[in-house]
Amino acid sequence: MTKRRTLLLALALAAGCGSPSAVDESMPAVDVHAASLKDGFSTMERLAAAAKKEGQLNVIGLPRDWVNYGEIVDTFSDRYGIKVNELEPTASSRRQIEAAQELEPDVFELTLDVAVANAARFAPYRVQGWQDLPDEVKQPDGAWYAAYGGYMSIGYDPRRVPAPSSFADLAKPGYTVGLPGDPVREASGFYAVMAASMRDGMPEPVRGVELFARLKDRLTKTTAANTVLDWDHVNAARAARAPEAWRVTIPREAALGAYHVQAINKNAPHPAAARLWEEFLFSDEGQNLLQKGFARPARAEAMLMKGSLDTAQAAKLPAAPGPPVLLTIPQIDRAKSYLKRQWGKAIA
């Protein structure tokens, strides 16, 4: 693999739309359930007009301090004159699906395994930047597709502990360790254990659980820990706020990554606004706004090649040791099954 290809793949762990011109809201009816902009609206202006007529967008599971979603939501709302209803910002992927009938979100943001399991619930739609997305993180018919990704990382306080070079280093004296959630119930906690389990590019759940069993007396709340395992964008945002007190590393032997994928609710109450939201999120502007929140845009490789990627911000991302290792659905299923059986016993 060439050095340039390696760089691009790392960036990629990661067609633009500009500000709409004035539109005629008396335009003829369009297919708001179309599977692409070309099929249903033909132009961004017509899609924007249809969405503005709906007037609202329901999003779910998007904390405002997560990958810069506060600025992204506000920019979209101001740009198109659409009220964004932010439902259950802390909802997990599973909760988003469970609450869909009651809360009626227009769009979802999900982990890959939840998206795959619930593909029949989604309305296929291919954004303009579809061809730029890695094949392994998009459903061919457009039911779901990755917006951004990240690596599992180690954040640490350099004033209190030396820089860890591996997850195994956390077993050395002095480290107090915080997990971002229950590994049995929350994706971030699960991926933290899986990153600690990596050996020769493969996850070994037994290895991960054994490490944390040794650390159980030093596991603590993330706010009290001098070392926190979390997505690199979370640790990087903390480091940006306090560069002398927090740093981030992605261990070379554990370059475990994951994508967050988007999907449109098949029963979306605002179908045009849902499609406009996805077009905005996958536009050059939207992808750069995600990167501003230290996420790794899914379209980063194509944007870098055409010169539209914010390279100054890209340089601020934690150094990636190489292309991400992505867990397969069978690997995820097996690991989750093992953790359900063994995590509580090991940490009790």
Side-chain angles (χ1 to χ4, degrees):
M1 180 179 291
T2 66
K3 290 183 178 180
R4 177 171 176 78
R5 181 60 179 167
T6 299
L7 168 64
L8 294 178
L9 282 171
L11 281 169
L13 216 194
C17 60
S19 301
S21 58
V23 296
D24 178 6
E25 295 193 14
S26 64
M27 65 182 189
V30 293
D31 179 7
V32 294
H33 298 285
S36 72
L37 181 68
K38 180 179 179 180
D39 294 339
F41 300 93
S42 73
T43 66
M44 278 296 299
E45 287 76 12
R46 295 187 73 192
L47 174 58
K52 187 173 182 180
K53 189 173 182 179
E54 292 174 349
Q56 298 188 60
L57 173 73
N58 297 341
V59 300
I60 186 171
L62 302 183
R64 294 181 66 83
D65 60 352
W66 178 268
V67 296
N68 199 33
Y69 264 127
E71 182 177 358
I72 292 168
V73 166
D74 292 345
T75 301
F76 175 83
S77 181
D78 293 343
R79 175 75 49 78
Y80 297 108
I82 294 171
K83 179 183 178 183
V84 179
N85 304 307
E86 299 174 61
L87 312 173
E88 289 196 28
T90 60
S92 66
S93 295
R94 185 177 301 174
R95 170 59 185 163
Q96 290 180 50
I97 298 300
E98 292 172 349
Q101 185 172 354
E102 174 190 357
L103 299 180
E104 297 186 318
D106 291 301
V107 292
F108 302 100
E109 174 162 307
L110 307 166
T111 56
L112 184 62
D113 56 322
V114 173
V116 170
N118 292 277
R121 297 172 179 261
F122 310 142
Y125 183 77
R126 296 184 181 184
V127 293
Q128 291 183 90
W130 178 262
Q131 70 280 1
D132 296 340
L133 304 177
D135 289 340
E136 65 270 24
V137 289
K138 63 183 180 185
Q139 180 75 3
D141 68 355
W144 51 262
Y145 32 94
Y148 64 92
Y151 290 85
M152 186 50 61
S153 68
I154 302 175
Y156 64 97
D157 185 341
R159 302 167 303 176
R160 299 166 65 188
V161 292
S165 61
S166 68
F167 284 92
D169 280 354
L170 303 183
K172 296 178 180 179
Y175 291 97
T176 56
V177 181
L179 282 173
D182 183 346
V184 177
R185 296 179 176 84
E186 299 181 46
S188 52
F190 170 77
Y191 273 90
V193 176
M194 287 302 98
S197 82
M198 299 298 289
R199 174 178 288 173
D200 299 326
M202 294 292 290
E204 296 182 5
V206 175
R207 175 181 164 95
V209 171
E210 287 177 347
L211 173 62
F212 285 98
R214 296 200 300 274
L215 294 174
K216 65 180 180 180
D217 292 335
R218 287 188 277 148
L219 290 177
T220 186
K221 294 181 179 179
T222 56
T223 52
N226 59 36
T227 309
V228 173
L229 312 185
D230 211 334
W231 296 115
D232 62 335
H233 64 82
V234 176
N235 273 321
R238 181 173 177 178
R241 294 191 298 269
E244 298 303 317
W246 205 249
R247 294 181 186 168
V248 191
T249 184
I250 303 169
R252 180 168 299 279
E253 87 288 354
L256 182 65
Y259 287 89
H260 292 261
V261 304
Q262 296 288 314
I264 296 173
N265 188 353
K266 182 180 289 186
N267 299 314
H270 312 107
R275 286 157 176 77
L276 183 64
W277 167 257
E278 301 299 355
E279 291 289 359
F280 178 73
L281 202 60
F282 285 85
S283 69
D284 289 354
E285 180 181 10
Q287 294 278 281
N288 278 322
L289 285 172
L290 285 167
Q291 185 178 246
K292 188 176 178 181
F294 299 96
R296 298 174 189 266
R299 292 186 53 241
E301 181 176 344
M303 290 171 62
L304 180 64
M305 292 178 69
K306 73 176 188 176
S308 61
L309 185 72
D310 183 346
T311 53
Q313 178 61 30
K316 298 177 183 178
L317 301 180
V325 175
L326 303 176
L327 298 183
T328 66
I329 298 300
Q331 287 174 331
I332 292 172
D333 289 343
R334 286 194 296 270
K336 284 187 173 181
S337 179
Y338 181 80
L339 261 63
K340 284 180 181 178
R341 297 193 310 270
Q342 300 298 329
W343 180 258
K345 298 176 184 178
I347 305 303

